[in-house]
């Protein structure tokens, strides 16, 4: 008689905090609703569910039928509910105290609403560090789930990963369940017979478990899956086939953990799933990794190479993307500040800001989606409003750990942050009333997947729909000239008050394509910082390169006031010739279709000649951002767009508007001006 295979089947449901209402509604219509509609017919099928606290709030308030179905299945004992951080943070990148608090928040919610005390934890994005164990233990977590890849990175063979292992940190214990890659790529993508066969392959011993815990969104929200899973009946046929099979027994993780012995001990490295490690690498390294993998060959990689050929760690995203690091370190600053701020609203806003989605990018938009970054800043600014009240302050810090000072200017209406590491530039420009950061732009960078467009790689054949469907990692997309032409890379960060020294050839075209001639070293180099009670001075002894370095000094002073700040910029050089000084700004908005530039509607690119004023009307916030100079300039601008990968293929997103204020000079230049925000 064949061994019985224990099927530990789990799904996790998550949407970014404050994601668009239509996205949640769409998710319920095509995925969450149909899934639980099917599962409600088969209460004898035992499975596990994790739903982030925020998403469950939305389901409870706006989708009561779905909420009732989940509640009913939980009461019948069909569902085992898993915990995690309430607002779905990646636990390893938030402070220890916040980890425990967020897990306990979701624990309490599950106990209150579903009358279960969760013992299992969904490890968000499967980002594992052993330092989590004491905090998970403190929150009452007995076991968690992660990919079999995590275990293979520690030297385990795939064929023995059919149960749970125990681990510890500082004597605190936890059970670790390895999710099968074979099953992740089979369910729901292969036909039902093939999926059942994959499950039954886990029958090495009587207590062998087939372990899967994966995105609920694969069951309806990923491209092509709604038709496959529901219209063609995959899910219902799958559930029926599992229940009818005498070899397969559905079981909760908690039951298996209590009834079966551990497979042994495991100490796992700092790792997430393979694709995440690949995405966290810089583009050139990701391409090299893929080349090594291809050279090794698929079969050899799957059998041997998976143990040794690895990408980066999740925290590399903070190294790869300055904008991600900036959000993360601002959140960490606010978490530290909580010690001196005793306020429930502050705490709630802080925890919401810790949602993981805006911090990374892979096959999902993540960091490249402006609305997700907007949401992170919204809650951080809410924290700042509670923290500072009506105070006016100039503060120096090194929170971003790069060794260079940042300066924060807090006024009644705005918060400005300037960065000594990057040209004394403006890196945060907050409306405290609107809780919106106009400086929330994104630099155009090389990504590994751009190579497909640059090389015009043809589409590959895909399996027939009757037999299987593609996973999101293998789906092919149409390549067109619009996407190809959008691949432009910036060699400096797209902040504001960026200083360029160029020549008479500078124009709107080479500004947009970032291939203008740069003589100076002020656009992406550090400045010294000097702060007094009323102003901050950034200074650099740099040079112009003609091609030899000619000593050149630049000073930039900012003087904050209630409606913005005054600024003074001076440059003196020993270089001989006529140059163009370019003062660049990059501003981000909610609705670009309603933006007005110096009285005219925003174009894809444009110019305003011989003026001393740049006036930007933000209709969404009903504010005018006005920059005035004490001399005339020519202004060139373009919509800053990035080309990024998403679950639907490629996205062309507007990340901001880039402005170049151009002034001819020779020998020296001195500019005085004002940035002011005016109510309309």
């Amino acid at each position: 008689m064949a061994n019985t295979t224990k099927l530990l089947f789990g799904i996790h449901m998550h949407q970014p905090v404050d994601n668009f209402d239509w996205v949640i509604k769409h998710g319920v219509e095509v995925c969450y609703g149909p899934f639980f509609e099917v599962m409600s017919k088969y209460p004898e099928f035992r499975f596990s569910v994790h739903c982030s606290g925020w998403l469950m709030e939305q389901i409870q308030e706006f989708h009561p039928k779905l909420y009732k179905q989940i509640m009913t299945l939980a009461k019948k004992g069909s569902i085992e509910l898993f915990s995690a951080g309430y607002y779905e943070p990646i636990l390893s990148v938030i402070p220890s105290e916040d980890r425990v608090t967020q897990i306990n928040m979701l624990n309490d919610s599950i106990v209150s609403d579903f009358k279960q005390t969760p013992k299992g934890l969904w490890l968000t994005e499967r980002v594992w560090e052993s330092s989590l164990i004491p905090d998970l233990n403190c929150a009452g977590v007995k076991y968690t789930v992660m990919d079999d890849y995590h275990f293979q990175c520690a030297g385990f063979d795939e064929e023995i990963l059919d149960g749970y292992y125990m681990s510890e940190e500082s004597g605190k214990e936890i059970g670790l369940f390895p999710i099968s890659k074979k099953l992740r790529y089979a369910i729901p993508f292969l036909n039902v017979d093939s999926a059942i066969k994959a499950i039954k392959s886990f029958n090495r011993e009587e207590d062998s478990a087939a372990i899967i815990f994966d995105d609920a969104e694969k069951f309806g929200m990923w491209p092509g899956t709604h038709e496959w899973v529901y219209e063609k009946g995959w899910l219902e046929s799958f559930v029926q086939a599992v229940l009818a099979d005498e070899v397969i027994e559905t079981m909760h993780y908690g039951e298996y953990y209590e009834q079966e012995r551990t497979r042994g001990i495991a100490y796992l490295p700092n790792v997430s799933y393979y694709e995440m490690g690949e995405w966290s690498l810089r583009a050139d390294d990701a391409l090299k990794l893929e080349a090594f993998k291809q050279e090794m060959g698929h079969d050899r990689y799957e059998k041997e190479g998976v143990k040794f050929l690895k990408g980066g760690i999740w925290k590399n995203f903070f190294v790869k993307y300055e904008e991600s690091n900036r959000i993360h370190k601002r959140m960490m600053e606010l978490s530290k500040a909580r010690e001196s701020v005793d306020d429930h609203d502050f705490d709630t806003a802080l925890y919401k800001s810790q949602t993981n989605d805006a911090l990374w990018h892979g096959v999902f938009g993540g960091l490249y989606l402006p609305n997700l970054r907007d949401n992170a800043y919204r809650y951080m600014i809410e924290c700042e409003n509670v923290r500072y009240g009506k105070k006016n302050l100039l503060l120096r810090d090194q929170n971003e750990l790069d060794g260079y000072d940042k300066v924060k200017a807090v006024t009644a209406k705005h918060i400005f942050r300037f960065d000594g590491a990057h040209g004394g530039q403006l890196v945060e420009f907050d409306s405290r009333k609107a809780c919106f950061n106009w400086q929330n732009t994104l630099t155009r960078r090389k990504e590994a997947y751009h190579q497909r467009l640059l090389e015009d790689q043809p589409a590959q054949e895909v399996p027939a729909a009757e037999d299987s469907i593609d996973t999101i990692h293998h789906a092919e997309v149409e390549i067109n000239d619009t996407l190809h032409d959008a691949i432009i890379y910036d060699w400096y960060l797209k902040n504001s008050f960026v200083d360029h020294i160029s020549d008479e050839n500078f124009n709107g075209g080479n500004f947009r394509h970032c291939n203008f001639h740069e003589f100076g070293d002020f656009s992406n180099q550090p400045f010294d910082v000097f702060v007094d009670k009323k102003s901050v001075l950034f200074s650099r002894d740099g040079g112009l390169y003609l091609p030899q370095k000619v000593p050149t000094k630049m000073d930039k002073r900012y003087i904050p006031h209630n409606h913005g700040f005054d600024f003074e910029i001076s440059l003196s050089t020993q270089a001989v010739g006529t140059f163009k000084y370019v003062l660049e700004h990059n501003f981000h908005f909610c609705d670009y279709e309603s933006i007005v530039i110096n009285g005219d509607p925003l174009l894809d690119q444009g110019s305003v000649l011989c003026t001393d004023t740049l006036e930007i009307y933000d209709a969404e916030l009903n504010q005018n951002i006005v920059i005035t100079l004490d001399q005339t300039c020519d202004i060139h601008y373009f919509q800053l767009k990035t080309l990024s990968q998403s679950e639907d293929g490629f996205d062309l997103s507007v990340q901001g508007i880039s402005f170049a204020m151009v002034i001819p000079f020779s020998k020296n230049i001195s500019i005085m001006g004002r940035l002011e925000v005016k109510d309309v």
Side-chain angles (χ1 to χ4, degrees), residues 367-608:
L367 177 72
Y368 273 82
L369 297 179
N371 65 296
L372 298 186
R373 304 195 311 273
D374 285 342
N375 291 340
Y377 276 110
R378 169 189 169 185
Y379 290 112
M380 290 192 292
I381 298 168
E382 284 188 8
C383 288
E384 296 285 50
N385 287 341
V386 174
R387 179 186 184 187
Y388 292 123
K390 297 181 179 180
K391 295 178 181 178
N392 288 271
L393 300 167
L394 269 178
L395 305 168
R396 183 199 298 254
D397 68 63
Q398 288 190 354
N399 285 324
E400 292 178 22
L401 308 181
D402 58 6
Y404 294 95
D405 285 344
K406 325 295 173 194
V407 177
K408 182 194 298 184
V410 180
T411 70
K413 294 185 175 182
H414 303 101
I415 295 175
F416 306 101
R417 290 182 75 243
F418 306 95
D419 191 350
H422 299 288
Q425 296 160 13
L426 179 66
V427 297
E428 188 173 333
F429 177 9
D430 299 335
S431 166
R432 295 184 64 178
K433 180 179 180 181
C435 292
F436 186 81
N437 177 16
W438 281 300
Q439 195 54 62
N440 181 20
T441 55
L442 191 72
T443 301
R444 298 171 295 183
R445 291 177 174 84
K446 181 178 180 179
E447 297 287 359
Y449 50 77
H450 288 167
Q451 200 69 21
R452 294 166 58 192
L453 302 178
L454 293 171
E455 295 179 353
D456 293 322
Q457 295 179 6
Q460 299 177 359
E461 293 185 5
V462 298
E466 290 76 19
D467 187 49
S468 65
I469 60 172
D470 253 343
T471 74
I472 201 169
H473 302 290
H474 299 124
E476 292 296 326
V477 297
E478 182 181 349
I479 296 173
N480 57 53
D481 291 340
T482 300
L483 298 179
H484 192 281
D485 294 342
I487 300 177
I488 299 171
Y489 304 137
D490 299 308
W491 52 267
Y492 57 91
L493 295 176
K494 283 293 189 175
N495 301 320
S496 289
F497 289 85
V498 184
D499 307 283
H500 302 291
I501 310 299
S502 192
D503 56 22
E504 68 279 359
N505 295 315
F506 185 93
N507 58 48
N510 56 35
F511 175 49
R512 178 175 189 155
H513 287 86
C514 203
N515 57 5
F516 55 87
H517 198 141
E518 178 72 73
F519 294 106
D521 59 3
F522 303 100
S523 302
N524 61 356
Q525 295 299 310
F527 279 52
D528 294 324
V529 184
F530 306 92
V531 182
D532 58 34
K533 292 182 179 180
K534 295 184 177 181
S535 68
V536 53
L537 172 67
F538 293 92
S539 182
R540 175 174 173 79
D541 290 317
L544 301 187
Y545 296 80
L546 306 171
Q548 286 76 29
K549 179 179 179 180
V550 179
T552 304
K553 180 178 176 60
M554 177 174 285
D555 288 331
K556 303 168 68 173
R557 184 180 296 275
Y558 302 99
I559 307 103
H561 55 75
N562 282 338
H563 300 286
F565 56 82
D566 296 330
F567 57 89
E568 302 168 359
I569 301 172
S570 64
L571 180 141
S572 59
T573 181
Q574 300 176 23
V576 177
T578 300
F579 305 95
K580 286 189 176 180
Y581 170 72
V582 181
L583 182 60
E584 179 180 347
H585 310 291
N586 296 276
F587 297 126
H588 162 68
F589 302 94
C590 288
D591 180 11
Y592 291 91
E593 292 184 0
S594 64
I595 297 296
V596 177
I597 307 296
N598 281 39
D600 293 322
L602 174 68
L603 303 174
D604 190 60
Q605 58 183 350
S607 297
V608 182

